Amino acid sequence: MTTRHSFHEQLESLQRDLLRMGVFVSEAIEKAVQSLARLDIPQARAVIEGDDTVDRMLIDIEKRCLQLMALQQPMAIDLRTIGTALKIVTDLERMADHATDIAEVTQKLAGEPLIKPLVDIPRMSVLAREMTREALDAYVREDETAAREMIEKDHEIDALYRAIFDELVELMQSNPAVVLQATLLLHVAMSLERIGDHATNLGEWTIYLLTGELEELNN
């Protein structure tokens, strides 16, 4: 086996593990929001415990990327491929942190009924997970158009966040007794908005991989 062939096999292995990390993170987001909607404390605890798994995935992929750079001294597109993987796993790890934040809100609300049924928060979660899946798919297929298109969903997430913010502020103004829970739900919405921003970053890193140009696309 040639050194070059071995190098590309290692890159493909990195990519597979990166995708597994993406699936794990997307499921953590879904489970965190489900735990909140159902006030399911065991599920929230499982999300929080799963954050250690994400951290281990991050460390493993980072270590392998750095080893490839040190031992193979890649140039041009191969160097961008490794650099992009490093950036993507960092964003995925931060998304998992936000999922953990949501699960911690569930724990804080243990035994307390929700002040209103959750509608827009689950919608934000669905959009964020769709963005993540589409961004990683664009990355694997090296599809610049798909990467640009998925970023448009971040505008929908931002619109839902503004709607949630306005609704919860109005609730707090009309009923001071709900201020604490409404503040926690605002924190959840903000976490999902930040997850959308990180999903946008995934698309931007794919575009960088393919073009060599860094673009800010979530303005």
Side-chain angles (χ1 to χ4, degrees):
M1 181 182 295
T2 66
T3 301
R4 187 73 176 169
H5 184 68
S6 173
F7 173 68
H8 281 284
E9 280 200 340
Q10 291 177 71
L11 281 182
E12 289 172 2
S13 175
L14 272 175
Q15 188 180 68
R16 288 193 295 270
D17 288 343
L18 183 154
L19 293 176
R20 277 193 282 271
M21 182 177 177
V23 170
F24 191 94
V25 170
S26 180
E27 290 176 350
I29 296 166
E30 180 180 22
K31 291 174 182 176
V33 173
Q34 285 179 347
S35 77
L36 177 63
R38 302 168 183 169
L39 293 178
D40 186 334
I41 304 305
Q43 187 170 33
R45 190 179 304 116
V47 172
I48 294 167
E49 291 171 353
D51 192 53
D52 288 338
T53 301
V54 174
D55 290 341
R56 287 193 294 271
M57 290 177 173
L58 171 69
I59 292 168
D60 175 66
I61 292 173
E62 284 182 335
K63 183 186 300 183
R64 288 155 61 195
C65 284
L66 294 174
Q67 286 175 341
L68 279 175
M69 286 194 288
L71 299 176
Q72 302 289 347
Q73 297 182 333
M75 301 295 289
I77 185 62
D78 289 335
L79 183 59
R80 283 215 306 272
T81 299
I82 296 171
T84 298
L86 282 168
K87 292 294 187 179
I88 286 177
V89 295
T90 298
D91 276 301
L92 288 173
E93 190 273 336
R94 289 175 181 169
M95 292 163 76
D97 286 343
H98 288 300
T100 297
D101 291 341
I102 295 168
E104 287 174 349
V105 168
T106 301
Q107 290 186 323
K108 290 175 183 176
L109 294 177
E112 179 181 342
L114 292 172
I115 55 177
K116 63 180 294 296
L118 300 186
V119 178
D120 288 340
I121 282 176
R123 287 175 182 166
M124 290 181 76
S125 171
V126 169
L127 285 168
R129 287 184 286 111
E130 286 177 354
M131 287 182 70
T132 303
R133 184 184 66 249
E134 291 168 11
L136 293 174
D137 186 55
Y139 166 72
V140 170
R141 292 188 292 110
E142 298 185 352
D143 189 334
E144 180 184 349
T145 299
R148 291 182 183 277
E149 289 175 351
M150 55 75 52
I151 288 171
E152 291 301 312
K153 289 186 177 178
D154 191 46
H155 300 309
E156 298 178 53
I157 290 178
D158 290 343
L160 286 169
Y161 172 70
R162 289 191 293 270
I164 292 168
F165 181 90
D166 291 343
E167 181 182 19
L168 290 175
V169 167
E170 184 176 339
L171 278 173
M172 286 188 281
Q173 289 173 338
S174 63
N175 183 3
V178 305
V179 167
L180 179 57
Q181 185 180 137
T183 300
L184 290 172
L185 293 177
L186 274 176
H187 181 67
V188 169
M190 187 177 298
S191 293
L192 288 167
E193 191 272 337
R194 291 296 298 132
I195 288 172
D197 288 344
H198 286 297
T200 296
N201 290 347
L202 303 183
E204 291 176 351
W205 289 121
T206 295
I207 293 168
Y208 166 73
L209 170 65
L210 300 174
T211 67
E213 299 292 330
L214 286 171
E215 299 185 45
E216 186 79 22
L217 297 174
N218 64 346
N219 294 328

